[in-house]
């Protein structure tokens, strides 16, 4: 325990003081051209109508649309007073949905930012969302810390079905882009596309699959498909289907990201040792690169074929909560990685090997310079914080 006359630092350990100093020093860096927001960012999704825009969910209870090229916050969606954890967009009647700590889902008309239906039904935090268009109904699907998944009529707010199967909180949802697998005459599986399949991931370390049949009655759209998948040792935070092969990528608290092979019945054939909690995973449109991020603060780029680490983007000074990959507005040139996290910044990185090599050289130089400095930066506050009580709640949520 260090000794201090500063009352704001009473009862802090030497390690906690050193960590505060590290974050204060690192928070001044400009890597990734940071776009600063007022509070911690807990989720990020791309704008399906414009590749140069993203939507983010903040711990302050605000959702925003952010222009990546200018940093302009063109739309702000207000109403919630507790942290927002997840986002989804429906283009049928352009609507933004946000899951909240208050156990409800908020909605707004995107053009006007007018609040819409508030969805009530979960008994704990809403952790993940997605939308799905079916004949005759626009679905909103939510997963919660109460271990349930709810299917809603996104237009009316009607609760259509509650799915139970996980024993702990539901952390991620994804729709299989190829639909259910049918059997060929030779016994191999082939995507039929007749029905849709929802994948859900949980703190109980399982991935469950749910058949969604558009022709079923609205109260029984989904049924559980056996068996559960258990590729990880603990909580699974993210699910992401690759754009071409439609293999499933996962991110877990066990410090790894995995590729589950569709061809081999969702068995893991690639494990990426990211380290610490992995919060997010994304795949380039060419499927050449896999990108991971999480508690270690780095954004790591991997060769999708060999599993080799290709580069590390360094800039965030706290946990990274989300990743998206976007192209430039003309659809040409290298793709861009967009990362967002607890440090209340959005950062943009060029998915290019030469740029990654330059970044590695620059990082080595900066680290050498930091090691040579004798004066520590201690006690400097970093922006985007919560109250002590909210910090404790957020820490508990992050470890869920």
């Amino acid at each position: 325990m260090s000794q201090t006359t500063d009352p704001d630092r009473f009862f802090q350990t030497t390690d906690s003081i050193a960590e505060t100093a590290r974050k204060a020093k690192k928070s001044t860096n400009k890597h990734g051209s940071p776009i600063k927001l007022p509070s911690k960012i807990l989720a990020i999704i791309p704008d399906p109508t414009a590749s140069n825009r993203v939507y983010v969910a903040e711990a302050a209870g605000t959702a925003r649309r952010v222009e990546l090229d200018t940093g302009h916050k063109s739309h702000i969606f207000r109403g919630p007073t507790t942290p927002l954890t997840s986002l989804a967009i429906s283009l049928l009647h352009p609507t933004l949905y946000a899951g909240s700590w208050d156990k409800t889902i908020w909605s707004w008309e995107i053009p006007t930012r007018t609040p819409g239906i508030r969805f009530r039904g979960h008994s704990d935090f809403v952790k993940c969302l997605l939308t799905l268009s079916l004949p005759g109904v626009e679905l909103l699907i939510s997963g919660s810390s109460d271990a349930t998944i709810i299917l809603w009529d996104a237009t009316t707010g009607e609760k259509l079905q509650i799915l139970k199967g996980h024993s702990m909180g539901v952390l991620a949802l994804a729709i299989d882009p190829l639909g259910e697998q049918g059997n060929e005459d030779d016994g191999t599986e082939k995507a039929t596309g007749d029905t849709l399949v929802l994948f859900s991931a949980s703190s109980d370390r399982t991935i469950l699959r749910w058949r969604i049949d558009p022709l079923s009655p609205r109260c029984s759209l989904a049924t559980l498909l056996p068996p559960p998948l258990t590729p990880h040792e603990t909580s699974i935070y993210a699910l992401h289907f690759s754009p071409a092969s439609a293999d499933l990528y996962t991110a877990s608290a066990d410090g790894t990201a995995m590729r589950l092979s569709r061809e081999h019945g969702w068995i893991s054939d690639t494990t990426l040792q990211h380290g610490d909690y992995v919060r997010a995973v994304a795949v380039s449109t060419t499927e050449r690169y896999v990108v991971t991020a999480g508690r270690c603060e780095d954004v790591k780029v991997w060769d999708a074929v060999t599993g080799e680490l290709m580069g590390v983007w360094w800039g965030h000074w706290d946990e990274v909560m989300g990743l998206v990959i976007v192209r430039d507005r003309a659809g040409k040139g290298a793709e861009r990685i967009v990362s967002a996290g607890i440090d209340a910044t959005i950062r943009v990185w060029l998915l290019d090997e030469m740029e990654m090599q330059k970044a590695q050289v620059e990082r080595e130089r900066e680290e050498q310079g930091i090691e040579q400095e004798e004066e520590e930066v201690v006690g400097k506050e970093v922006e985007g914080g919560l109250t002590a009580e909210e910090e404790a709640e957020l820490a508990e949520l992050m470890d869920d």
Side-chain angles (χ1 to χ4, degrees), residues 112-399:
T112 64
R113 286 159 280 176
T114 303
I117 297 169
R118 191 171 174 191
F119 299 76
R120 304 173 187 269
H122 286 293
S123 61
D124 208 335
F125 300 145
V126 178
K127 302 296 289 288
C128 48
L129 296 172
L130 60 78
T131 57
L132 179 64
S133 295
L134 296 180
V137 62
E138 180 81 354
L139 286 183
L140 173 65
I141 306 176
S142 58
S144 168
S145 292
D146 65 14
T148 69
I149 300 166
I150 297 181
L151 276 58
W152 313 81
D153 184 319
T155 304
T156 67
E158 179 187 356
K159 186 192 303 180
L160 302 178
Q161 188 177 0
I162 300 176
L163 307 182
K164 297 181 179 181
H166 289 292
S167 61
M168 298 177 70
V170 181
L171 306 179
L173 300 168
I175 291 290
D176 184 343
L178 298 187
E180 189 177 5
Q181 302 294 311
N183 289 324
E184 293 286 329
D185 293 338
D186 61 4
T188 60
E189 290 187 340
K190 180 181 179 181
T192 64
D194 295 333
T195 58
L196 300 172
V197 178
L198 170 70
F199 281 61
S200 59
S202 169
S203 295
D204 65 13
R205 85 183 185 95
T206 67
I207 298 173
L208 300 183
R209 296 173 298 144
W210 310 84
R211 178 192 291 117
I212 298 178
D213 187 349
L215 301 180
S216 296
R218 287 162 59 94
C219 62
S220 58
L221 286 169
T223 54
L224 183 62
L225 294 170
L229 309 177
T230 55
H232 288 281
E233 298 176 0
T234 186
S235 301
I236 301 170
Y237 290 125
L239 300 173
H240 182 87
F241 281 97
S242 56
S245 64
D247 289 331
L248 180 63
Y249 283 81
T250 62
S252 171
D254 65 13
T256 69
M258 292 185 180
R259 180 177 66 193
L260 307 187
S261 169
R262 171 183 298 275
E263 182 180 359
H264 297 102
W266 308 114
I267 299 298
S268 173
D269 63 3
T270 302
T271 300
L272 307 175
Q273 299 289 342
H274 178 97
D276 214 337
Y277 286 34
V278 189
R279 293 286 186 183
V281 62
V283 183
S284 65
T285 56
T286 61
E287 295 198 23
R288 181 177 181 182
Y289 301 110
V290 180
V291 186
T292 57
R295 183 171 290 182
C296 78
E297 303 172 4
D298 292 336
V299 175
K300 298 185 178 182
V301 181
W302 310 80
D303 185 303
V305 176
T306 67
E308 177 186 358
L309 181 63
M310 303 296 294
V312 179
W313 290 111
W314 177 89
H316 286 285
W317 49 265
D318 210 328
E319 192 164 355
V320 180
M321 297 299 293
L323 295 169
V324 297
I325 295 180
V326 299
R327 298 193 71 87
D328 60 32
R329 280 174 287 184
K332 301 177 181 178
E335 293 176 295
R336 295 184 291 174
I337 307 165
V338 186
S339 56
I342 300 298
D343 64 3
T345 68
I346 300 169
R347 298 177 189 251
V348 183
W349 321 91
L350 195 62
L351 196 50
D352 177 83
E353 291 186 25
M354 289 294 292
E355 292 295 324
M356 286 188 280
Q357 292 172 7
K358 291 178 184 178
Q360 181 60 33
V361 171
E362 184 175 358
R363 178 174 184 172
E364 291 172 357
R365 288 175 178 171
E366 290 190 11
E367 288 178 341
Q368 291 171 1
I370 291 173
E371 290 172 0
Q372 293 169 1
E373 293 179 5
E374 296 180 357
E375 182 179 355
E376 292 186 348
V377 179
V378 180
K380 178 182 176 183
E381 292 186 359
V382 292
E383 299 177 6
L386 302 174
T387 66
E389 183 178 353
E390 290 171 332
E391 286 282 6
E393 288 186 87
L394 184 57
E396 182 179 351
L397 173 64
M398 295 301 99
D399 289 333

Side-chain angles (χ1 to χ4, degrees), residues 37 39 45 47 53-66 73-84 87-89 94-98 106-116:
L37 271 66
S39 69
I45 61 172
D47 184 337
R53 296 196 301 233
V54 294
Y55 288 82
V56 296
E58 295 183 57
T62 303
R64 298 175 191 268
R65 189 173 79 185
V66 181
K73 293 81 174 178
S74 58
H75 282 54
I76 303 176
F77 303 86
R78 294 186 172 93
T81 57
T82 59
L84 301 181
L87 298 170
I89 289 176
T95 304
L96 176 68
Y97 302 93
W106 293 71
S107 68
W108 299 266
E109 295 179 3
I110 292 177
T112 64
R113 286 159 280 176
T114 303

